[in-house]
Amino acid sequence: MADIHDQFDTVLILDFGSQYSHLITRRCRELNVYAELMPCTTKIKDLTFKPKGIILSGSPYSVYDDDAPHVDPEVYNLGIPIMGICYGLQEIALNHKGTVSQCDHREYGFASLEPTKQGPDGKVDALFDGLGDEFQVWMSHGDQLSTLPPSFHVIGKTDTAPFAAIAHDSKPLYGIQFHAEVTHSPLGKEIIGRFVLKICACQKNWTMEEFIGKEIKRIRDICGEKGRVIGAVSGGVDSTVAAKLMHEAIGDRFQAIMVDNGVLRLNEAAQVNEMLRKDLGVNLTIVDASELFLSRLAGVEDPEQKRKIIGNTFINIFEEEATKIEKLAEEEEKKGAAAKGRVEWLLQGTLYPDVIESISFKGPSATIKTHHNVGGLLKDMKLKLIEPLRELFKDEVRALGRLLSIPAPLVQRHPFPGPGLAIRILGPVTREQVKILQLADKIFIDEIRNAGLYDQIAQAFAVLLPVRAVGVMGDKRTYEQVIALRAVESQDFMTADWYVFPPEVLRRVSSRITNEVAGINRVTYDISSKPPATVEWL
Ligand SMILES: Nc1ncnc2c1ncn2[C@@H]1O[C@H](COP(=O)(O)OP(=O)(O)OP(=O)(O)O)[C@@H](O)[C@H]1O
Ligand SMILES: O=c1[nH]c(=O)c2[nH+]cn([C@@H]3O[C@H](COP(=O)(O)O)[C@@H](O)[C@H]3O)c2[nH]1
Ligand SMILES: NC(=O)CC[C@H](N)C(=O)O
Ligand SMILES: [Mg+2]
């Protein structure tokens, strides 16, 4: 089976645990060059493909730390271009007998890089050629090179770092002390581009147009003539794009299943049904399991327990449905229908950030909350996994969705968590509480859309608080619940900031919710960023 890195020129990013490693991967992809992240401990003999170039990331370690991670020295025998960023530069220097020492003071923030003129004709290195006599870069380090390794020369310096960028005299080996991958280095992407396009000579063919054709062929190869696939869909972007891609590849041999868990948004099941079946032509079964979910959730307040119950119930329902589909096919066959293939595969909408998290060199970080979805938990299922979006970032998935003619409102949809409204109702979940939250949430989202703000906001939703407040309505005292509104701007949901609304939008939302939703007499707006808060309240 042709793997993705056999089909596209690939830059390998070796991760030493920097918080920016994934950004290096992203920058290459934005330049239409396929890049993949692997732990720095990867052994070259275990690589199943030959990269066109390698980038060594930054790291929280110092190269001289006892437990500092080091690259397999075999990388230098591959004969391909290698560039180190920050720790990566220090690692290359150390591997070539240079020295690294602690700076007098840590350098964190902007610096001005001056490309150094080389040789008699005074040209600057190809990495910086034409970028100007001096340009802004962003630094984050406590160590720096104190002596240059033999056979290397300086290609750029700053006021405090005389070896801010270095290159080997005859081999394609480079090191830069600054972080070219962050947007605070305005020419950073251009510099990464010089490396991957000019020095590594990668083809610029990583586009979703190229990807679609190749991925559809790959799916067909994997599934064979008859193999059938089932997949859980939620109406969210990831599962919809994955479902549509499967449909393009194997048509009706793909069967989508949506579970109504009783904590979806207002009319969500009906809308997803309409969309997937009619607009996208995907085979869909909707299973109404709301009774079961809500009965298992009764009286539960603890957020992690809510997640666990929902995750487990999802699996139970999903397995039942998979078995039903298999049985049905067997019965039809017995009655003489043409033999259908076995349901061998389970589609999952896993994205690259999930993959990165699991392969990151740094290892597991503290669990803030367990993000539950369906597929990730199907441990003892006999089904094999098929994950067509495994290599993609969210914006690539959206671009893919547009190419697959998935309607724009769907492609731009805000994410919605698998455990749904259960983690937005702060007390126990009941049908009545779900109804209140569904109505308030719909008003909020409708008004955001009416104001033309939906696409500027990464995620918006209402939260139902378990407290009651006093109000006055029609001269009568009321004693009712409170809705909190949440809207955030975010690139990747790892960090987020609250969205600044025009006041009239908030006024309209508040007035509509208190007027139209029985049981609510007060609306508040959440002005917390992440960190220290999280996006969801639970
Ligand atoms: N109600 C549901 N019915 C069936 N599957 C679901 C349901 N909710 C979630 N899932 C499954 O869990 C997966 C993970 O959910 P997640 O919310 O992360 O992704 P998504 O819903 O596809 O996209 P988005 O992140 O945009 O909401 C989905 O891709 C889908 O396979
Ligand atoms: O599928 C999911 N299952 C979950 O249990 C879950 N919890 C949070 N989220 C979504 O993740 C993003 C970050 O949310 P937090 O800042 O609250 O962790 C936001 O987009 C959240 O909506 C979830 N998604
Ligand atoms: N960002 C980095 O890669 C830092 C590398 C190393 N820990 C230093 O302080 O210099
Ligand atoms: Mg979702």
Side-chain angles (χ1 to χ4, degrees), residues 241-274:
V241 171
K244 176 74 174 161
L245 194 62
M246 287 312 289
H247 182 74
E248 296 283 306
I250 61 167
D252 283 350
R253 286 190 283 139
F254 171 63
Q255 173 74 47
I257 296 171
M258 186 200 191
V259 181
D260 182 347
N261 55 13
V263 282
L264 300 176
R265 285 170 292 199
L266 196 67
N267 300 328
E268 183 112 9
Q271 272 171 19
V272 173
N273 187 13
E274 176 94 1

Side-chain angles (χ1 to χ4, degrees), residues 307 368-373 415-419 423-424 459 461 492-494 530 533-538:
R307 280 192 168 81
I368 309 298
K369 39 183 115 170
T370 48
H371 286 201
H372 260 301
N373 51 39
F416 183 67
I423 55 167
R424 294 177 180 172
Q459 196 173 9
F461 52 89
D492 54 10
F493 298 98
M494 301 289 286
K530 171 181 179 174
T534 53
V535 175
E536 304 285 348
W537 277 44
L538 294 183

Side-chain angles (χ1 to χ4, degrees), residues 316-491:
N316 301 149
I317 301 288
F318 200 75
E319 281 185 314
E320 266 173 35
E321 289 305 309
T323 317
K324 273 191 211 161
I325 291 173
E326 277 279 69
K327 283 233 172 78
L328 197 69
E330 277 170 30
E331 276 165 26
E332 283 174 1
E333 274 174 41
K334 272 187 211 146
K335 289 187 202 144
K340 283 187 177 169
R342 291 273 77 82
V343 177
E344 272 180 80
W345 302 93
L346 172 69
L347 171 72
Q348 271 209 92
T350 315
L351 300 194
Y352 202 49
D354 311 332
V355 177
I356 289 183
E357 203 161 280
S358 60
I359 62 175
S360 164
F361 165 72
K362 257 192 293 192
S365 46
T367 304
I368 309 298
K369 39 183 115 170
T370 48
H371 286 201
H372 260 301
N373 51 39
V374 178
L377 295 162
L378 291 167
K379 281 211 185 65
D380 4 290
M381 266 198 119
K382 298 177 288 289
L383 297 169
K384 292 172 275 185
L385 283 187
I386 186 161
E387 304 180 308
L389 310 179
R390 209 185 142 75
E391 274 85 19
L392 308 187
F393 288 104
K394 191 103 179 178
D395 53 330
E396 293 175 324
V397 172
R398 290 201 157 117
L400 182 60
R402 283 187 277 271
L403 285 175
L404 287 164
S405 307
I406 295 176
L410 211 170
V411 169
Q412 288 308 121
R413 234 167 160 213
H414 294 173
F416 183 67
L421 302 184
I423 55 167
R424 294 177 180 172
I425 293 171
L426 265 53
V429 180
T430 62
R431 271 201 195 271
E432 293 68 37
Q433 294 280 282
V434 169
K435 193 78 208 167
I436 290 176
L437 183 54
Q438 281 179 332
L439 292 174
D441 190 72
K442 174 148 185 3
I443 291 171
F444 187 33
I445 300 298
D446 282 352
E447 289 301 332
I448 287 175
R449 283 195 194 279
N450 290 342
L453 301 175
Y454 189 84
D455 291 346
Q456 294 175 27
I457 297 170
Q459 196 173 9
F461 52 89
V463 178
L464 182 57
L465 306 188
V467 290
R468 292 217 263 170
V470 173
V472 51
M473 245 184 172
D475 288 337
K476 280 211 186 88
R477 178 186 195 268
T478 59
Y479 186 50
E480 294 177 329
Q481 271 180 282
V482 181
I483 283 283
L485 304 174
R486 179 91 163 127
V488 295
E489 291 179 295
S490 176
Q491 292 298 324

